Amino acid sequence: MSSGAVSTDAVSTDAAETVMSGAALAQCRQFCWTPDGSREPTLRDIDLRIDAGERVLLAGPSGSGKSTLLRALAGVLHVGAGGEGSGEVLLRGRPAAEAGASIGLLLQDPRDARVAQSVGRDVAFGCENLGMPRGRIGAAVDAALRAVRFPYGPGHDSDAVSGGEAQRLALAGVVAPRPDLLLLDEPTSMLDEISAKAVRESVVEAIEGSQIALVVVEHRLRDWLPLVDRMIVLDAHGRVVADGPVEQTLQDHREPLVRAGVWVPGVPDPEPLAIPAGLLPPVRRPRATLSGDMQSSHTESGPRVFPAGGAGGPGSSGGGPLLRARQLRLEARPALRFTGVRRPRPSAVALDGVDAAVRAGRLLAVRGGSGAGKSSLVAALCGLVPPTSGAVQAETELAADGERRPHRWRSRDLAARIGWVPQDAAANVVGATVRECLLATVHALGGGAERADGRTQSVAEGGTAADPESRAEALAHLLGLTHLLHRHPHQLSGGEARRLAVASGLLHSPPVLCLDEPTVGQDRHTWAAVAGLVLAAREAGAGVVVSTHDDALAALADDHLLLRDGRVLR
Ligand SMILES: Nc1ncnc2c1ncn2[C@@H]1O[C@H](COP(=O)(O)OP(=O)(O)OP(=O)(O)O)[C@@H](O)[C@H]1O
Ligand SMILES: [Mg+2]
């Protein structure tokens, strides 16, 4: 799917034609869809019509079929995924492929949308695809980049962007050709308040006074509600359970919506879920003097168990932080290639002079605007990128073969010591099924963590520790992934994929856990489960880092670090 995803090859801006003919711009009639490999339909008996100029918010719990419905409306349900459909999806009264309507679909994972190396070429793709005259494309690209407040020019490398910038870039790509139907799948989920507001305004600006119809999917409804006039809600079974004017729908369906997990404005935030004892056993530090093989080190003299809780944890009482960044500077790789841009990109400084400490039994929240350097800091703490200057160092007892710099550790040593949940949740898929992914690190480390006393007991029995397989199942249950354990991880919804990444990152109880935006794309219930797990990892003694735009998650943290332009503000 391209950033300017379209279902036809003709430019059509003649929305009036649709109005005249009486046909809806888009319509579903008794539409059902069951993806291959699934016993249950993802969408059931969908009946709805979208007219030119309508502004619609599509809501529903994680996994309810919102993204699937957008793909159906865009006529691309069959692209990259098989399944059985029944009923109809029509554009201008005709099957999507013959309809002559132009559609811009912004996918949930913005990196899926990137098609070209330079920003300008990337944004131009949709315009070219729709046959926009060459002479108009440059101005359309510039206007779209301005509209989404993209911070770099058209010559910038489209790889060298933060998650939030990637989201804005993808949005520019779908807005530039001015499609008849604009379908946006969580366009602001990875943005801070200010950037999200800017993007909402730019969407409104882009469609204002036009007959462009908008369908936007978002979990956090509040900020979109004033900008739309209609709300459609799906339930967990892929059925439309509410469809109508915003105010009335919220009023008439308030209780069921909250029960279903929808973030209804004005309802207090959920509490983090209490996690059963034993689901995350106490964290142990791999022994420093031996190689990174956790198993052999444990059998020799037994692991050292971190006591739970912040104040009494070894990080605060013993040898200081588990991990520390000192005067950390990180430069994005300098321009190595020339991709038709006018001049080479100067090397970007992602982080400069950053000091940070990860302490056992404490939660550190890394905050800052889109592109501030949060993911870069998380990646550096996780040993995934070497510092350009300055250092990231583990405490002596966490060292592997005497080496304290995580980026020099073997991958096995790194995995045993630091759990990483990337911002791009699909980046860590290392198995053919959800179950395999969950257990991948445990198995790679030779069976995973045992209890200090070697006993195992199932979580269901109320035990304090269990074998990794039964803990994996309990985690899957908690995160609403049980029915998906046999699925390929790439077949998950956005929220499901992120929950899988969280579960996979912590099942082996690493002493340090770094989670990049772990609550993005979650409904109220799944948010509570993810937040509960973050706190449970802290209670188990891990040093936990979250990079987040989520105020409710950040409010749970013990320590805070605010970044701006790669520097620590406070
Ligand atoms: N290609 C596929 N193959 C099998 N199942 C799929 C596929 N794509 C989606 N699903 C399943 O269909 C259900 C609906 O997925 P969809 O992505 O539409 O949900 P969603 O409402 O957008 O969720 P989220 O809020 O988490 O993004 C999910 O349970 C998902 O696992
Ligand atoms: Mg989705």
Side-chain angles (χ1 to χ4, degrees):
M1 182 56 48
S2 75
S3 54
V6 292
S7 63
T8 70
D9 55 5
V11 180
S12 171
T13 51
D14 191 7
E17 180 198 309
T18 310
V19 178
M20 301 276 290
S21 69
L25 176 59
Q27 184 162 23
C28 297
R29 282 195 196 138
Q30 285 293 299
F31 182 68
C32 300
W33 175 257
T34 306
D36 287 344
S38 171
R39 269 171 252 126
E40 295 294 315
T42 292
L43 294 175
R44 296 172 205 245
D45 306 324
I46 305 286
D47 272 312
L48 55 86
R49 64 177 279 157
I50 313 265
D51 288 312
E54 274 202 279
R55 317 280 191 249
V56 181
L57 179 63
L58 176 59
S62 173
S64 58
K66 303 179 297 296
S67 300
T68 309
L69 181 53
L70 285 196
R71 290 164 59 88
L73 290 170
V76 295
L77 207 42
H78 286 280
V79 178
E84 280 276 310
S86 63
E88 287 180 307
V89 179
L90 302 173
L91 295 173
R92 296 217 164 113
R94 283 178 276 171
E98 310 157 16
S102 64
I103 296 178
L105 169 63
L106 177 70
L107 295 168
Q108 190 163 3
D109 182 346
R111 289 180 201 262
D112 284 350
R114 199 151 55 231
V115 290
Q117 198 65 54
S118 81
V119 160
R121 301 273 322 140
D122 198 69
V123 177
F125 182 79
C127 303
E128 290 163 356
N129 209 3
L130 280 162
M132 184 184 277
R134 283 201 87 71
R136 282 175 42 205
I137 292 181
V141 167
D142 287 343
L145 287 172
R146 262 198 317 277
V148 301
R149 275 76 157 177
F150 194 72
Y152 314 109
H156 190 79
D157 183 341
S158 59
D159 271 334
V161 292
S162 74
E165 287 161 0
Q167 206 158 28
R168 282 183 276 167
L169 177 59
L171 181 63
V174 294
V175 167
R178 302 192 61 73
D180 298 325
L181 178 57
L182 191 54
L183 304 169
L184 307 180
D185 201 348
E186 303 195 33
T188 57
S189 60
M190 286 196 230
L191 302 180
D192 62 289
E193 254 328 278
I194 294 167
S195 312
K197 184 164 179 282
V199 163
R200 283 191 301 273
E201 284 168 2
S202 60
V203 169
V204 170
E205 243 169 64
I207 61 177
E208 206 156 42
S210 75
Q211 282 295 305
I212 296 175
L214 169 72
V215 182
V216 60
V217 170
E218 201 69 75
H219 280 283
R220 304 288 180 137
L221 312 184
R222 191 194 62 196
D223 297 323
W224 281 98
L225 289 177
L227 311 177
V228 297
D229 31 54
R230 175 177 165 197
M231 194 175 153
I232 300 176
V233 186
L234 299 179
D235 70 4
H237 307 290
R239 273 184 296 248
V240 174
V241 287
D243 182 358
V246 168
E247 286 301 318
Q248 196 185 332
T249 307
L250 283 175
Q251 208 175 320
D252 294 351
H253 300 272
R254 188 182 166 89
E255 282 315 308
L257 291 186
V258 175
R259 266 203 311 278
V262 175
W263 293 92
V264 176
V267 177
D269 285 349
E271 289 294 319
L273 203 68
I275 304 301
L279 189 56
L280 302 182
V283 157
R284 298 148 320 149
R285 219 180 302 217
R287 288 174 63 83
T289 46
L290 299 173
S291 79
D293 186 329
M294 291 177 81
Q295 293 300 299
S296 58
S297 63
H298 290 152
T299 45
E300 277 200 25
S301 55
R304 178 170 167 192
V305 179
F306 287 169
S316 45
S317 61
L322 292 170
L323 262 187
R324 192 186 265 287
R326 280 203 184 87
Q327 287 301 298
L328 177 63
R329 181 179 168 89
L330 213 62
E331 287 174 14
R333 72 201 138 86
L336 293 174
R337 50 179 180 255
F338 294 82
T339 53
V341 298
R342 269 170 241 121
R343 57 194 162 80
R345 181 170 59 81
S347 64
V349 178
L351 294 174
D352 198 14
V354 171
D355 289 328
V358 183
R359 298 172 195 278
R362 289 183 77 85
L363 173 59
L364 168 67
V366 179
R367 313 209 68 196
S370 170
K374 302 180 299 298
S375 294
S376 300
L377 177 57
V378 168
L381 288 172
C382 288
L384 301 168
V385 285
T388 306
S389 65
V392 172
Q393 269 198 336
E395 60 150 11
T396 317
E397 286 197 49
L398 209 60
D401 288 333
E403 174 60 66
R404 291 174 59 191
R405 293 166 297 178
H407 77 273
R408 303 294 294 265
W409 293 344
R410 293 181 308 158
S411 55
R412 181 187 172 83
D413 292 328
L414 194 57
R417 287 160 173 75
I418 304 180
W420 176 55
V421 176
Q423 182 171 11
D424 176 4
N428 251 4
V429 166
V430 285
T433 64
V434 168
R435 183 189 295 275
E436 273 179 39
C437 270
L438 264 175
L439 286 157
T441 307
V442 166
H443 287 159
L445 296 175
E450 293 161 26
R451 263 171 55 111
D453 62 9
R455 280 194 304 121
T456 64
Q457 195 181 1
S458 88
V459 175
E461 290 169 296
T464 51
D467 63 281
E469 274 79 10
S470 74
R471 286 193 299 113
E473 284 186 7
L475 261 180
H477 177 70
L478 200 93
L479 293 167
L481 299 174
T482 304
H483 63 297
L484 303 169
L485 280 169
H486 66 283
R487 284 279 180 81
H488 192 283
H490 285 148
Q491 294 177 334
L492 300 184
S493 78
E496 290 163 352
R498 195 162 297 267
R499 301 201 292 285
L500 171 60
V502 169
S504 310
L506 52 70
L507 185 67
H508 63 292
S509 300
V512 175
L513 181 61
C514 294
L515 307 109
D516 201 344
E517 306 279 8
T519 53
V520 161
Q522 303 307 322
D523 60 44
R524 293 174 61 90
H525 302 320
T526 57
W527 182 94
V530 170
L533 283 171
V534 168
L535 296 187
R538 176 179 74 179
E539 288 311 304
V544 186
V545 182
V546 292
S547 148
T548 189
H549 295 306
D550 177 348
D551 290 340
L553 181 66
L556 304 172
D558 308 295
D559 304 306
H560 299 262
L561 195 96
L562 181 63
L563 292 175
R564 186 196 283 167
D565 295 335
R567 291 181 164 274
V568 177
L569 269 192
R570 59 171 191 268

